[in-house]
């Protein structure tokens, strides 16, 4: 997928293992500000097939991942844009493609945990009023997951230090 942004073409493509160092570099300044959580390289390698990369003239300027949580629920995670490219449509382009990918998988709802509330509101998300977006049987199944993103979605106490101040948002596709 190619989108013209500020006279440069943003090209989206699936991530490759060779992109992990660039993903970590995009996340690092946001992790320092406690906007994203820094992860070990192995975590990115394990999830590389979930990631999309945004490039301009061959330079990686953004990334984002789609993590399936349940049959009709997925999370947009690790959405990051190079500082020089923020506000130029790279993030929006990534979110649109991640939404398209989610629909192709049969996902009907997308979750995100974010400080960027206005950005996600502008992309069709709403603030989650409560955890009733999954029924109790699914909730109990999700409790069995070791994935920290699912723990964040479930608002479990053990992830509170990592998520304090973040807003839980949902989008119906």
């Amino acid at each position: 997928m190619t989108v013209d942004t500020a006279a440069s073409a943003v090209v989206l493509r699936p991530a490759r293992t060779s992109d992990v160092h660039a993903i970590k570099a995009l996340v690092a300044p946001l992790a320092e500000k406690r906007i994203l959580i820094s992860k070990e390289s192995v975590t990115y390698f394990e999830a590389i097939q979930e990631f999309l990369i945004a490039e301009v003239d061959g330079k990686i300027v953004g990334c984002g991942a789609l993590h399936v949580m349940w049959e009709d629920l997925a999370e947009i995670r690790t959405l990051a844009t190079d500082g020089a490219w923020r506000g130029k449509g790279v993030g929006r382009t990534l979110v649109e493609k991640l939404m398209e990918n989610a629909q192709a998988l049969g996902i009907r709802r997308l979750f995100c945990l974010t400080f960027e509330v206005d950005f996600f509101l502008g992309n069709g998300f709403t603030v989650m009023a409560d955890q009733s977006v999954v029924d109790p049987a699914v909730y109990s199944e999700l409790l069995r997951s070791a994935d920290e993103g699912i723990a964040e979605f479930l608002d479990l106490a053990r992830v509170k230090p990592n998520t304090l101040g973040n807003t839980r948002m949902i989008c119906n596709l």
Side-chain angles (χ1 to χ4, degrees), residues 2-11 55-56 61 85-93:
T2 303
V3 177
D4 287 331
T5 303
S8 295
V10 176
V11 177
E55 290 182 329
V56 174
V61 298
W85 285 91
R86 287 198 189 102
K88 296 182 180 177
V90 174
R92 179 176 303 279
T93 301

Side-chain angles (χ1 to χ4, degrees), residues 23-54:
I23 292 169
K24 286 187 71 146
L26 287 169
V27 169
L30 299 170
E32 286 176 18
K33 296 176 184 176
R34 299 185 53 87
I35 293 170
L36 289 178
I37 297 171
S38 183
K39 298 174 186 166
E40 298 296 329
S41 295
V42 68
T43 303
Y44 293 117
F45 283 115
E46 290 173 340
I48 199 67
Q49 71 279 2
E50 297 179 351
F51 277 86
L52 283 179
I53 296 295

Side-chain angles (χ1 to χ4, degrees), residues 34 113-117 159-168:
R34 299 185 53 87
L113 183 67
T114 186
F115 287 104
E116 303 295 337
V117 174
V159 296
K160 287 294 186 204
N162 293 333
T163 62
L164 193 59
N166 280 354
T167 300
R168 286 165 173 68

Side-chain angles (χ1 to χ4, degrees), residues 70 134-145 150 154:
W70 199 250
V134 294
D135 65 45
V138 172
Y139 184 93
S140 69
E141 289 285 337
L142 290 174
L143 281 174
R144 297 178 182 157
S145 175
I150 292 176
L154 297 175

Side-chain angles (χ1 to χ4, degrees), residues 64-78:
L66 178 69
H67 180 76
V68 175
M69 297 168 68
W70 199 250
E71 73 180 286
D72 67 340
L73 180 67
E75 177 186 7
I76 289 182
R77 56 171 61 168
T78 319

Side-chain angles (χ1 to χ4, degrees), residues 112-160:
C112 71
L113 183 67
T114 186
F115 287 104
E116 303 295 337
V117 174
D118 290 338
F119 172 81
F120 281 97
L121 286 172
N123 282 284
F125 284 74
T126 58
V127 175
M128 287 176 54
D130 57 41
Q131 295 303 119
S132 65
V133 296
V134 294
D135 65 45
V138 172
Y139 184 93
S140 69
E141 289 285 337
L142 290 174
L143 281 174
R144 297 178 182 157
S145 175
D147 184 274
E148 290 297 303
I150 292 176
E152 291 165 351
F153 171 74
L154 297 175
D155 202 20
L156 300 180
R158 69 180 170 83
V159 296
K160 287 294 186 204

